[in-house]
Amino acid sequence: MATQTTASCTGSTLLQPISEIINLPVDQVNFVACQLFALLMAVWFRIYLHPSKTSPFIRHVVATLLGFYLALFCFGWYSLHFLVQSGLSYSIMVFAGLEHMHKYCFIVTLGYLILCQITRVYVFDYGMYSADFTGPMMVITQKITSLAFEIHDGLTKREGQLTPSQKYLAIRRMPSLLEYLSYNCNFMGILAGPSCSYNDYMAFIEGTCYQPRHQENANGKENGKYKQSEPSPKNDVISKLCTCAISLAIYLSLCKLLPVEHSIDDDFVSSTPFHLQVIYLYLAMLALRPKYYFVWTLADAINNAAGFGFNGYNKDGSTRWDLISNLRILDIEFATSFKMFLDNWNIQTALWLKRVCYERCHINPMAATFLLSAMWHGVYPGYYLTFLTGIAMTMAARAVRHNIRPHFLVSDSYKRIYDVITWAWTQVAISYTVAPFVLLAVGRSLKFYRSWYYCLHLLCLLVVLALPVKSRRRQAKEQQDGLQDNQTDHNSTDNNCNQKDKAT
């Protein structure tokens, strides 16, 4: 096994002895070691390169160089793809016209990512997760495309043409090359993200990320002005590191006991009652999720340790460090709807999809968003089966919520019953939808769906056909028409009253 892990690793083999001792691929050992190193560097960065002591230029340079070092350690020469992708996109931003720059950046950046994913999957080794250099490229793709759209909004549109969130995100000047590389490849997010807005990152580098939120809740005054004090991320970082340790322990202890692939084993399918197959699939997916909890929570803790991620204060005065958090574990595990699960899973990616696709696409934005998500994730057929199934699940869940949920809101006991039922259905629906995402190959994915007789696909079709549901655009239009009708009725009533007053 040691020889195999060495051959599949394109980064450093310095930690190969540790890999052999703990029986894990060396690329995974490199990843965890680099993230722990990044955590230490984040604490050093916040204390010794604080904005009050160091210029933004130095902070940009150090963050970028450390990021490149971690990328080289983990991925070797494959990390050059990060520079090529970023360089091509920056050239388009500088030399292309502002009117269409964001579209060209989107096509080139996403196209380059897909090209790398195709070569990694079909040229090197199908299904190989070792040395997956396209993982960081996925986050860089989010950052580049978001930046292009935000520059387009800031430099070509008027205030009245932008939504409130677009006004906040809009960029009023072209970033320098150093600022651009620091934003894309800083050591805090080069390996696992999460994605963030350019304005939030620049506020962190320049040390202004605490001021607007702090002034609203300041507790003291000095010389007639609110006294500024910088909140400490220590408690949140410790809490998130504890979550990482628990998640890693659960994953390592359960992942081999409950493999998802066992759900399509012929002997298991033929000898196990269907209800037990459902329970097994749920438990297998439950055992798989802590891997993502570990990776994303550790990435969040690294950013917080560097001082990035402050999001204001709670009502009790405690600090919030969830500005760029990627998940809410309890809301995921106790989700009572398909939408609630998706809203709390991979949050920054969901925001990216919403900002660059859902809010800007005029033709079937939901289908376009699911398609973009599948293309961004990779080229495995299982990804596309998952997101096509996700469209059907979303439409069915929306129909049920629109037609059935109001009948259970008449009392608290009815609502609790509804929540329990919808929680169980949500967990089964998510497990059913995500199974091809784990199985990857189209043959194995279809074999899984055949073993379930495509039951949830058929159920979604029946629900959508039987229960009417209005599109969001239609609902908004009807609400607007209703307001106009109410306004007209109100005006006519006022006119009648005025005429009566005059007659009197």
Side-chain angles (χ1 to χ4, degrees), residues 395-406:
M395 294 174 64
R398 188 179 296 175
V400 169
R401 185 176 182 85
H402 180 77
N403 291 275
I404 296 178
R405 185 173 183 269

Side-chain angles (χ1 to χ4, degrees), residues 406-425:
H407 298 292
F408 285 85
L409 300 180
V410 294
S411 67
D412 292 338
S413 58
Y414 277 31
K415 186 179 182 302
R416 282 193 289 270
I417 294 173
Y418 177 84
D419 288 342
V420 171
I421 295 174
T422 52
W423 171 82
W425 273 107

Side-chain angles (χ1 to χ4, degrees), residues 226-438:
Y226 284 107
K227 184 178 179 180
Q228 302 268 332
S229 64
E230 183 177 318
S232 172
K234 182 179 68 173
N235 292 335
D236 288 80
V237 171
I238 293 174
S239 174
K240 290 174 182 178
L241 290 179
C242 292
T243 301
C244 289
I246 296 172
S247 300
L248 184 61
I250 293 175
Y251 173 71
L252 292 177
S253 59
L254 295 180
C255 65
K256 294 182 179 179
L257 294 177
L258 298 167
V260 178
E261 291 77 9
H262 188 61
S263 62
I264 59 173
D265 181 74
D266 293 332
D267 294 336
F268 174 79
V269 173
S270 60
S271 62
T272 307
F274 183 72
H275 67 280
L276 293 181
Q277 294 183 39
V278 174
I279 295 174
Y280 178 85
L281 181 66
Y282 165 69
L283 293 177
M285 291 298 176
L286 186 66
L288 188 64
R289 286 197 287 268
K291 176 178 70 173
Y292 298 94
Y293 296 163
F294 167 76
V295 173
W296 288 338
T297 306
L298 180 57
D300 196 17
I302 292 170
N303 282 273
N304 293 166
F308 187 28
F310 177 67
N311 198 24
Y313 294 87
N314 295 309
K315 292 181 179 180
D316 60 358
S318 59
T319 55
R320 293 174 54 195
W321 287 87
D322 60 351
L323 178 66
I324 55 174
S325 295
N326 231 353
L327 50 80
R328 303 183 188 94
I329 296 176
L330 293 180
D331 291 335
I332 290 170
E333 298 300 340
F334 295 100
T336 57
S337 70
F338 203 82
K339 181 180 183 301
M340 183 178 175
F341 188 101
L342 297 180
D343 286 345
N344 294 286
W345 174 269
N346 207 351
I347 296 170
Q348 301 306 317
T349 296
L351 287 175
W352 171 69
L353 292 168
K354 176 184 176 182
R355 291 166 180 170
V356 304
C357 185
Y358 190 85
E359 293 180 344
R360 302 176 190 268
C361 183
H362 302 291
I363 302 174
N364 203 341
M366 184 182 70
T369 302
F370 273 104
L371 177 60
L372 174 59
S373 182
M375 295 172 63
W376 174 80
H377 275 91
V379 293
Y380 289 111
Y383 294 167
Y384 291 84
L385 288 174
T386 286
F387 289 106
L388 287 174
T389 305
I391 295 175
M393 290 290 180
T394 302
M395 294 174 64
R398 188 179 296 175
V400 169
R401 185 176 182 85
H402 180 77
N403 291 275
I404 296 178
R405 185 173 183 269
H407 298 292
F408 285 85
L409 300 180
V410 294
S411 67
D412 292 338
S413 58
Y414 277 31
K415 186 179 182 302
R416 282 193 289 270
I417 294 173
Y418 177 84
D419 288 342
V420 171
I421 295 174
T422 52
W423 171 82
W425 273 107
T426 297
Q427 298 303 321
V428 173
I430 287 291
S431 302
Y432 179 88
T433 303
V434 175
F437 195 94
V438 180

Side-chain angles (χ1 to χ4, degrees), residues 3-304:
T3 305
Q4 183 181 0
T5 55
T6 304
S8 65
C9 179
T10 57
S12 173
T13 57
L14 180 66
L15 302 179
Q16 181 67 37
I18 299 178
S19 170
E20 296 173 353
I21 293 173
I22 63 178
N23 197 26
L24 284 177
V26 67
D27 66 288
Q28 295 181 13
V29 176
N30 285 348
F31 173 83
V32 175
C34 284
Q35 287 294 77
L36 294 177
F37 176 75
L39 180 65
L40 296 177
M41 288 296 99
V43 176
W44 172 82
F45 191 82
R46 182 173 63 87
I47 295 174
Y48 294 100
L49 294 184
H50 192 272
S52 62
K53 305 175 183 178
T54 312
S55 67
F57 175 80
I58 298 298
R59 284 167 64 85
H60 278 305
V61 170
V62 173
T64 306
L65 292 178
L66 284 174
F68 286 150
Y69 172 74
L70 295 180
L72 284 170
F73 191 90
C74 279
F75 305 107
W77 68 269
Y78 280 104
S79 57
L80 292 177
H81 287 293
F82 309 161
L83 286 177
V84 174
Q85 185 187 36
S86 299
L88 288 173
S89 302
Y90 190 74
S91 300
I92 294 173
M93 291 181 188
V94 172
F95 296 110
L98 289 173
E99 190 64 29
H100 301 289
M101 170 268 295
H102 58 302
K103 298 177 184 177
Y104 299 151
C105 270
F106 182 86
I107 294 172
V108 170
T109 306
L110 186 63
Y112 192 85
L113 171 66
I114 293 174
L115 180 63
C116 290
Q117 289 171 332
I118 290 174
T119 57
R120 187 186 71 84
V121 171
Y122 294 107
V123 175
F124 295 106
D125 188 3
Y126 189 91
M128 181 188 74
Y129 276 102
S130 296
D132 184 7
F133 66 95
T134 60
M137 289 183 67
M138 294 166 68
V139 179
I140 294 174
T141 298
Q142 290 184 4
K143 292 182 177 181
I144 292 174
T145 52
S146 297
L147 181 67
F149 277 93
E150 290 161 8
I151 292 174
H152 174 75
D153 290 342
L155 298 181
T156 65
K157 293 185 178 180
R158 297 187 299 271
E159 290 281 335
Q161 297 176 291
L162 303 176
T163 65
S165 64
Q166 290 172 349
K167 290 178 184 178
Y168 172 77
L169 298 171
I171 299 170
R172 305 298 177 184
R173 68 171 181 86
M174 185 68 68
S176 67
L177 180 60
L178 176 61
E179 292 170 340
Y180 175 78
L181 291 176
S182 175
Y183 171 60
N184 285 339
C185 303
N186 63 80
F187 74 97
M188 301 170 295
I190 183 67
L191 297 183
S195 179
C196 62
S197 77
Y198 177 79
N199 285 339
D200 287 334
Y201 180 74
M202 289 301 295
F204 155 71
I205 289 292
E206 295 169 358
T208 60
C209 55
Y210 308 107
Q211 294 175 3
R213 299 181 180 90
H214 180 74
Q215 287 175 350
E216 297 174 1
N217 302 281
N219 293 322
K221 290 189 177 182
E222 186 176 0
N223 298 327
K225 297 181 180 180
Y226 284 107
K227 184 178 179 180
Q228 302 268 332
S229 64
E230 183 177 318
S232 172
K234 182 179 68 173
N235 292 335
D236 288 80
V237 171
I238 293 174
S239 174
K240 290 174 182 178
L241 290 179
C242 292
T243 301
C244 289
I246 296 172
S247 300
L248 184 61
I250 293 175
Y251 173 71
L252 292 177
S253 59
L254 295 180
C255 65
K256 294 182 179 179
L257 294 177
L258 298 167
V260 178
E261 291 77 9
H262 188 61
S263 62
I264 59 173
D265 181 74
D266 293 332
D267 294 336
F268 174 79
V269 173
S270 60
S271 62
T272 307
F274 183 72
H275 67 280
L276 293 181
Q277 294 183 39
V278 174
I279 295 174
Y280 178 85
L281 181 66
Y282 165 69
L283 293 177
M285 291 298 176
L286 186 66
L288 188 64
R289 286 197 287 268
K291 176 178 70 173
Y292 298 94
Y293 296 163
F294 167 76
V295 173
W296 288 338
T297 306
L298 180 57
D300 196 17
I302 292 170
N303 282 273
N304 293 166

